[in-house]
Amino acid sequence: MKECSFARSFKYIFAVFALFVFAAADVFSWAVKYKEDYYRLYHIHYTQTSDDCMENIYWLEQAVKADFANPLYAWGKIETEEQWEKYRYIFMMHLNLKLIEQHLRLGSIYDKKAVYFYDAPWNEEYLRNLEKAKSCYEACYYYWQEATLWAEKASVGKFNFLYITSLQNWEDERQRIVTGSLDYKKTLDRELERLNKVISELVAMTDKKY
């Protein structure tokens, strides 16, 4: 797994902070332990800063590693063992899709869509930021591979007529992956090709008189 490098650094700092938060959990009735608990901490801000994205990445990755709660506390209504099995698969798929979204958001903060002649005086700073964006985009390939794997597991024959209707948006994500209407690899390939072109143009800039 290739993580976004500076997001990984943030994780260690944030983990220390999280330890203090969790240490105080005994005072309250709710403690963070299961996937469902960590997923509740994931949230979208109206305007997301890099710190907001990295915080979400931290919570989502903790959710990926954690155990599932009892089916009684699942995000959707679970009544049978087959529903419980499919729920686990689409939950893992969904977490990896959200990790892709957050890495793309984080990368876009540091990305530069185009180069202009007057960018020359700041090309070194732009290049540093572009390397951060590139690291985030490249990390998404791993999460996409994981998301497709879990989507395939949730789409085997025994689940053909089994839908968790209370999680219709997750079911829609699964269907879009299986049919190919959702394909982050194409998006990532396109964005990295553009980004590498921008990097090449900035590297080629030598005139800084503007």
Side-chain angles (χ1 to χ4, degrees):
M1 171 181 172
K2 184 175 183 180
E3 291 182 299
C4 181
S5 56
F6 68 109
R8 183 171 61 246
S9 299
F10 173 87
K11 278 171 47 183
Y12 295 118
I13 298 171
F14 193 80
V16 175
F17 169 75
L19 284 174
F20 288 102
V21 175
F22 297 159
D26 290 336
V27 180
F28 305 100
S29 60
W30 177 67
V32 179
K33 182 177 181 181
Y34 298 106
K35 287 186 189 296
E36 290 80 358
D37 299 328
Y38 283 109
Y39 185 63
R40 285 187 180 92
L41 296 172
Y42 159 78
H43 54 287
I44 299 295
H45 301 78
Y46 179 73
T47 302
Q48 278 195 281
T49 66
S50 58
D51 284 348
D52 295 327
C53 292
M54 289 189 283
E55 178 187 347
N56 273 335
I57 289 170
Y58 176 83
W59 294 128
L60 290 167
E61 289 187 341
Q62 295 307 305
V64 167
K65 292 185 289 186
D67 293 329
F68 284 94
N70 185 283
L72 181 64
Y73 304 105
W75 274 86
K77 186 177 182 181
I78 303 298
E79 296 179 320
T80 68
E81 288 189 12
E82 279 197 343
Q83 285 180 331
W84 172 234
E85 182 181 359
K86 186 177 185 182
Y87 166 79
R88 298 198 305 272
Y89 295 157
I90 62 174
F91 197 163
M92 289 297 293
M93 173 205 71
H94 181 71
L95 289 174
N96 279 281
L97 290 177
K98 290 303 174 186
L99 278 162
I100 293 172
E101 289 179 10
Q102 287 301 301
H103 277 81
L104 288 175
R105 283 176 183 264
L106 182 58
S108 69
I109 294 172
Y110 297 96
D111 203 345
K112 182 172 175 55
K113 301 300 182 182
V115 176
Y116 303 95
F117 71 95
Y118 48 76
D119 289 330
W122 303 283
N123 67 340
E124 291 181 2
E125 180 180 349
Y126 286 138
L127 285 168
R128 284 194 296 272
N129 284 339
L130 285 166
E131 286 301 326
K132 293 178 182 179
K134 184 176 181 179
S135 176
C136 289
Y137 296 161
E138 289 177 340
C140 291
Y141 283 107
Y142 169 81
Y143 298 118
W144 177 240
Q145 183 179 16
E146 287 292 297
T148 55
L149 184 152
W150 291 109
E152 289 170 3
K153 283 179 175 286
S155 302
V156 296
K158 67 178 179 179
F159 297 133
N160 279 348
F161 300 101
L162 191 158
Y163 299 95
I164 304 177
T165 55
S166 56
L167 293 172
Q168 188 59 52
N169 60 321
W170 294 8
E171 289 279 14
D172 291 344
E173 289 173 344
R174 177 196 60 78
Q175 184 66 16
R176 291 180 64 206
I177 290 174
V178 170
T179 60
S181 63
L182 176 60
D183 188 344
Y184 271 119
K185 184 179 185 303
K186 288 182 180 178
T187 301
L188 293 168
D189 289 346
R190 182 181 66 246
E191 288 302 298
L192 282 167
E193 182 180 1
R194 174 196 53 76
L195 185 145
N196 285 325
K197 182 180 178 182
V198 171
I199 289 176
S200 297
E201 291 175 359
L202 284 168
V203 169
M205 280 186 169
T206 55
D207 191 346
K208 298 186 178 183
K209 67 181 180 180
Y210 298 105

